[in-house]
Amino acid sequence: MAAADETLANAAGKFQEAAALALFNWGNVHMCAARKAMDGGRDPPLEEGGPPGAAIATADKFDEVTDRLAQAEGRYVAALEVKPDFHDASIALAQRKYERARLLCAAAGLSDATTSGSVDAAKADEAGAEFDAACADFTTVLGQLPEEEKKEEKPPAPKEGEEAPAEEPSTKAQVLVMWGNTLFERSQMLALLNKPWKPILDEAVVKFKEAGCAQADIDQALKVHRGVRAGK
């Protein structure tokens, strides 16, 4: 009887995980649609040569993006109701706040490289609050992640003439990159508002380094930062 109970418990666990994953992926569909709807290309654009610059968000489809982000939030919350320790959904909820903050920045008139028009102060404040909330969520998520197991077996050495496969970043590293991106965008918004931004950018760099990002990638990101480029 004990063996049968264990089998049923294992089956229930697998169905629980599958249900949570389905809801999570459903939320991801809405997140992808939201990003696509507010994609404004890069600044400076690729056509000017060189590597791509900072991403630009647009608020042309504000209501559509807002609805998509709300639907994504609902799916992620539902996934956590099914499986409370489903960390991917918790991470996605924090990332959703980051995306909403970018949308609000665009609606406030703070998405382009310069603020040529008037700034919607209320939306700018709301964007700042969302950036801060996302950072708080990333802090919480990192504290909830289980300790990563050390890899006992090393991957086989590549054959002559072959490149070694890139190591898959850990969940912790991915969260640190997302956190760094959030701080990076927050500092860009502050730079456009002529407010102190360098300490926030320094925090972003710390997160990127903790995540194991290559120094060359960090240097390139700093080159396209709107505050750095403006020499503020």
Side-chain angles (χ1 to χ4, degrees):
M1 193 67 179
D5 290 342
E6 183 178 351
T7 299
L8 289 172
N10 289 337
K14 289 179 180 179
F15 281 121
Q16 179 193 38
E17 188 167 346
L21 183 60
L23 288 163
F24 170 71
N25 287 331
W26 192 355
N28 286 345
V29 171
H30 291 297
M31 278 282 278
C32 288
R35 290 192 186 103
K36 184 177 180 181
M38 66 176 179
D39 181 15
R42 293 278 174 171
D43 170 40
L46 282 169
E47 289 75 11
E48 293 183 9
I56 300 173
T58 69
D60 296 342
K61 301 177 180 178
F62 186 88
D63 291 341
E64 177 186 342
V65 176
T66 298
D67 179 65
R68 287 288 193 176
L69 291 176
Q71 290 191 63
E73 180 182 25
R75 302 298 177 263
Y76 296 144
V77 169
L80 286 169
E81 289 173 350
V82 172
K83 194 174 190 299
D85 63 346
F86 191 31
H87 302 300
D88 285 347
S90 297
I91 295 169
L93 281 170
Q95 186 70 3
R96 188 206 68 85
K97 289 180 180 177
Y98 162 78
E99 297 295 352
R100 184 168 182 270
R102 292 181 64 236
L103 174 67
L104 289 165
C105 274
L110 295 167
S111 184
D112 295 330
T114 58
T115 53
S116 55
S118 61
V119 173
D120 187 324
K123 280 192 168 56
D125 288 344
E126 192 176 355
E130 280 290 88
F131 277 131
D132 292 344
C135 289
D137 283 358
F138 286 131
T139 303
T140 300
V141 168
L142 279 180
Q144 293 172 342
L145 291 177
E147 288 193 20
E148 294 161 1
E149 297 180 3
K150 294 182 180 179
K151 296 181 180 178
E152 297 181 358
E153 295 184 6
K154 293 184 178 180
K159 296 179 182 179
E160 189 175 350
E162 294 182 349
E163 292 185 3
E167 187 173 344
E168 188 73 20
S170 66
T171 301
K172 179 180 178 181
Q174 293 178 53
V175 172
L176 286 168
V177 169
M178 293 177 192
W179 192 352
N181 287 339
T182 303
L183 290 165
F184 187 93
E185 290 294 335
R186 176 79 161 109
S187 67
Q188 289 203 116
M189 186 190 82
L190 290 171
L192 292 174
L193 289 170
N194 293 313
K195 293 182 178 181
W197 54 271
K198 288 184 179 179
I200 305 297
L201 181 58
D202 289 342
E203 287 184 49
V205 171
V206 169
K207 299 307 174 192
F208 292 145
K209 289 183 176 180
E210 287 179 358
C213 296
Q215 186 61 48
D217 293 338
I218 296 175
D219 291 342
Q220 180 55 44
L222 293 176
K223 286 179 184 178
V224 301
H225 186 282
R226 286 160 190 157
V228 174
R229 285 168 53 198
K232 295 184 178 181

